[in-house]
Structures are given as C-alpha cells and as structure tokens.
Amino acid sequence: VQLQASGGGLVQDGGSLRLSCASSGRTFTQYIMAWIRQAPGKEREFVAAISWSGGGTSYADAVKGRFIISRDNAKNTVYLQMNSLKPEGTAVYYCAAGRALVFHSLDGIDYWGKGTQVTVSS
C-alpha cells in the first residue's frame, strides 16, 4: 500500500484547508485510516481516524469540532477537512493505514504516507 498526501499549504489563523490522501492498491477498504501530525520539535501525535466503512470516526481533543475526517472508498482516498485552523496546528501531516489501527494512538499503523506541510500564520 502506498499513500500519497496532498493539500497542505500556508493559511492564516482561522482559515481552512482540505488534505487528501490517495491510496494505491485494491485493499483500501481493509484499512482503518488516520491522520497523524508532527509539529516542529515535537513527537508525532494522533489527529483523527476513520473506520473501514467510514461509519466510525475519532478525533484528538485539540481538533474536535474543527476537523472532519472522511473517506471515499470508490476513490481509495481519505480526507481531512481542517477548519478554524490555529497557529499550533502548524505541522507536517501524515496519513496512515492499519488493519488494526488503534484510535487515539500510533499503534497498529502498517503504512505511512509522506507528509504534507501545513503552516498556519498568526
């Protein structure tokens, strides 16, 4: 499985961005998908995850109510709609896939995509 994230960029405080992550292969629906981010000088942290069918989602407290994760299994793509962005949201955002990915953790990740940079200016 190869994951390719896109959609990052520079945005002002309070702005919005939509990240996309396209997956290769025909096994996309077998994977729980997640977005993970890493801010400068910090460890990677869980942002959001979505179940195989899309019926279950989970968010880190820091983004709950502002970010929305979704997936289109016909397009092998997962999205992260980020609204009301804050400067502390500046990070490299990675998409990740795992058959047994554990929500709210980095456990169970089988594949990582290359990250996309999100910078939020104040």
Side-chain angles (χ1 to χ4, degrees), residues 33-88:
M33 301 297 297
W35 288 95
I36 309 294
R37 69 186 179 187
Q38 186 168 22
K42 296 187 177 181
E43 296 185 350
R44 292 185 180 185
E45 63 174 1
F46 171 87
V47 175
I50 188 166
S51 64
W52 306 279
S53 67
T57 58
S58 184
Y59 299 91
D61 288 344
V63 307
K64 198 174 294 183
R66 299 185 296 117
F67 289 13
I68 301 171
I69 188 171
S70 61
R71 67 191 294 164
D72 185 336
N73 287 339
K75 295 182 178 180
N76 286 2
T77 301
V78 62
Y79 305 96
L80 185 68
Q81 177 66 43
M82 305 187 294
N83 301 319
S84 301
L85 279 160
K86 303 176 181 180
E88 52 265 40

Side-chain angles (χ1 to χ4, degrees), residues 9-17 37 39 45 60-67 82-91 93 117-122:
L10 174 65
V11 64
Q12 290 187 332
D13 189 358
S16 297
L17 279 176
R37 69 186 179 187
E45 63 174 1
D61 288 344
V63 307
K64 198 174 294 183
R66 299 185 296 117
F67 289 13
M82 305 187 294
N83 301 319
S84 301
L85 279 160
K86 303 176 181 180
E88 52 265 40
T90 295
Y93 284 71
Q117 175 71 46
V118 172
T119 302
V120 186
S121 63
S122 56

